[in-house]
Amino acid sequence: MDVRRTAVMKLSVSDEQRDALHRTADQYLYCANRTANYCWSDTSYAECKTNKRQVRDTLYAELRAETELQAQLVQASIRRAVEAIKGVVERWKKGRRVSCPTFTAETMDYDTRSATFYRRKASLATVEGRVECPFVLPADSPTPYERYVLSEDYEFRESTLRYDTATDEFYLNISTRRINGDNAEVPADTWHPDQTVLGIDLGVNSLAVTSTGRFWQGDDYDHWCREFEKRRGEIQQRGTQAAHNALLRLGKRDEAWRKQYIHTVANEIVTEAAEHDCNVIAFEDLTDIRERLPHAQWHHIWAFRRLFEYVSYKAPEQGISVEQVAPNHTSQRCSRTDCGFTHDDNRHGEQFCCVKCGYTVNADYNAAKNIGLRYARKRIHRLRSSPKPGDGDAEVDLRVNGGTLNGESHQPVTGD
């Protein structure tokens, strides 16, 4: 099972190093935008260029001549632009409005050749040669840097240098992958011969609901988001430089609070799965969730994506994989295994009542069970259609609550 961890390190940079990093970022963004413009077509997505090798072969020599960037940084900028074009093309194919991606944020991708890590500093390639920037390490130990980057159980994969305009600081996001340990290189498909699934439904009223009947209501989250928006509006009306600085500080507090809140929910979801001996946590596919939940505000969509992201990297340490399934009709389908009737009239707001069998339950809980069942059925079908010698038919169970839930038997999120 692939376990990845990211350590975020603040860098201590001198004025000369700061200038070198800014100049490098400017040229990196130039290459990325130049590549995106080359790959883009306003007439048809079929004419957009998405083959990384072909794009690199065409532009690499030109970009090297036009900039002072090291070879690896030029190639990284090309890869970033092509990946962005691919994402836009996929949205275009689905009929969504798109435009050519533009890169403005000062971030750069480093690999093992353009970045070298020592115990207390990093050596980074810039347009003015290598710069060695010390880490600003917290007093508490072990730090994420010590636990992952310096650990023999993890290997360095890549890093992203990020400039924070609000604090005028540089941060390095160092990505690692576990290489040692009992479950380091075991493919997820063979990790458990018998699997038990925890289904997760995401929504506006209930931020997350599990197939075991645990609810995380979105009231507190919505309240704090509204308070931050209200405060932001009051500060914006002042129109002064001091107000601008206050907005930057407020934005960082807002983001930090929301991240901490979602981290807490993610930890509790993983704990719920572990306590119920689940091997898989199943989410609905979030690709078009904005269209499926037109009443959801931006902070809801942000929370859904972050929650899936956080659970995806926390769960593997407990030997639990995280999967996604198609979301269609999970809210309208009866989750009783002897029924399964699907109809729009089955759901009425927060209540689910099957018009065929009369099964009545909280609608979000019903959807969570359907998400888990969908993964279980998909898994069984895949195993039975392509069995491995000696494996037989692996059983996949859905972990559920045996009672009938009305949405009131929830456990609120606790913690700071």
Side-chain angles (χ1 to χ4, degrees):
M1 185 177 297
D2 201 12
V3 178
R4 295 175 183 265
R5 287 292 179 268
T6 299
V8 181
M9 306 301 300
K10 181 179 176 180
L11 299 180
S12 175
V13 297
S14 65
D15 291 341
E16 293 78 9
Q17 291 173 334
R18 186 181 303 274
D19 291 341
L21 291 173
H22 281 309
R23 286 190 58 211
T24 306
D26 289 342
Q27 296 189 28
Y28 184 95
L29 294 177
Y30 168 79
C31 291
N33 285 314
R34 174 103 139 67
T35 302
N37 290 331
Y38 169 77
C39 296
W40 181 251
S41 170
D42 287 321
T43 56
S44 169
Y45 60 74
E47 297 180 12
C48 292
K49 300 175 180 64
T50 57
N51 187 300
K52 276 188 259 189
R53 174 169 292 183
Q54 292 179 359
V55 174
R56 183 193 62 197
D57 291 345
T58 301
L59 294 181
Y60 173 75
E62 295 180 19
L63 295 178
R64 283 279 282 161
E66 294 170 7
T67 67
E68 305 166 275
L69 290 179
Q70 185 196 53
Q72 284 74 29
L73 291 178
V74 172
Q75 294 186 37
S77 67
I78 293 173
R79 285 195 299 271
R80 176 184 289 188
V82 175
E83 286 300 322
I85 292 291
K86 285 182 179 179
V88 172
V89 167
E90 289 303 313
R91 294 194 295 273
W92 196 349
K93 289 179 179 178
K94 297 176 181 178
R96 299 173 63 180
R97 296 180 62 181
V98 296
S99 60
C100 180
T102 302
F103 304 92
T104 58
E106 286 194 46
T107 61
M108 294 180 287
D109 301 316
Y110 283 84
D111 61 12
T112 54
R113 291 168 293 181
S114 52
T116 304
F117 296 100
Y118 304 97
R119 186 165 188 85
R120 294 188 174 273
K121 63 183 179 180
S123 174
L124 304 173
T126 73
V127 294
E128 297 180 9
R130 288 267 176 167
V131 297
E132 294 187 351
C133 304
F135 297 128
V136 179
L137 296 172
D140 296 338
S141 186
T143 65
Y145 179 73
E146 293 169 331
R147 292 175 57 192
Y148 305 126
V149 181
L150 298 182
S151 171
E152 294 182 355
D153 293 336
Y154 288 82
E155 66 176 356
F156 169 76
R157 302 294 292 176
E158 60 188 2
S159 62
T160 300
L161 183 70
R162 174 177 59 87
Y163 174 65
D164 190 328
T165 56
T167 61
D168 191 28
E169 301 286 357
F170 282 95
Y171 294 86
L172 200 59
N173 293 12
I174 308 172
S175 175
T176 63
R177 182 174 68 93
R178 187 160 69 183
I179 56 176
N180 295 324
D182 294 338
N183 64 340
E185 297 295 334
V186 180
D189 282 350
T190 60
W191 179 240
H192 292 283
D194 301 316
Q195 293 189 326
T196 301
V197 185
L198 181 73
I200 306 290
D201 178 66
L202 304 176
V204 175
N205 295 324
S206 297
L207 185 63
V209 181
T210 70
S211 57
T212 54
R214 183 166 183 183
F215 287 68
W216 286 267
Q217 303 290 13
D219 296 347
D220 289 342
Y221 181 76
D222 288 342
H223 170 74
W224 280 105
C225 287
R226 287 194 299 268
E227 288 298 312
F228 276 117
E229 288 295 333
K230 179 181 176 181
R231 181 61 177 156
R232 183 180 288 110
E234 293 172 351
I235 295 176
Q236 284 176 332
Q237 291 178 358
R238 301 175 189 172
T240 63
Q241 182 59 46
H244 175 72
N245 295 337
L247 274 177
L248 294 178
R249 292 193 299 270
L250 181 66
K252 290 184 68 65
R253 284 179 54 205
D254 180 13
E255 183 179 13
W257 184 90
R258 285 186 285 111
K259 284 184 176 180
Q260 181 58 48
Y261 189 95
I262 301 303
H263 267 296
T264 302
V265 178
N267 287 334
E268 294 180 351
I269 286 177
V270 174
T271 299
E272 183 80 0
E275 289 179 349
H276 287 84
D277 298 324
C278 295
N279 316 116
V280 180
I281 299 174
F283 284 82
E284 58 184 302
D285 192 332
L286 302 178
T287 302
D288 297 315
I289 194 167
R290 188 178 296 277
E291 287 74 18
R292 298 199 308 272
L293 294 176
H295 300 298
Q297 299 184 41
W298 69 268
H299 59 259
H300 293 128
I301 304 301
W302 180 92
F304 300 153
R305 298 191 188 283
R306 294 293 84 72
L307 184 58
F308 174 74
E309 174 188 332
Y310 294 165
V311 172
S312 294
Y313 81 75
K314 293 173 184 288
E317 281 202 340
Q318 303 294 326
I320 301 171
S321 63
V322 180
E323 306 289 345
Q324 288 183 309
V325 298
N328 49 301
H329 306 304
T330 52
S331 295
Q332 293 81 32
R333 184 184 186 278
C334 180
S335 60
R336 288 184 59 178
T337 55
D338 57 349
C339 181
F341 181 68
T342 303
H343 198 280
D344 290 342
D345 292 339
N346 281 350
R347 178 162 188 169
H348 304 277
E350 297 184 27
Q351 194 69 11
F352 179 90
C353 182
C354 181
V355 298
K356 181 179 180 181
C357 72
Y359 177 55
T360 302
V361 73
N362 176 270
D364 294 328
Y365 173 59
N366 178 75
K369 291 201 295 180
N370 279 326
I371 290 169
L373 286 168
R374 180 159 294 173
Y375 173 79
R377 292 189 176 105
K378 173 185 175 182
R379 173 71 176 168
I380 291 173
H381 175 75
R382 181 151 53 94
L383 288 171
R384 288 178 176 172
S385 61
S386 56
K388 298 178 181 179
D391 280 355
D393 292 338
E395 294 189 11
V396 185
D397 297 324
L398 172 67
R399 189 66 76 209
V400 299
N401 185 302
T404 299
L405 301 184
N406 58 15
E408 297 177 355
S409 301
H410 67 276
Q411 300 182 36
V413 177
T414 58
D416 297 332

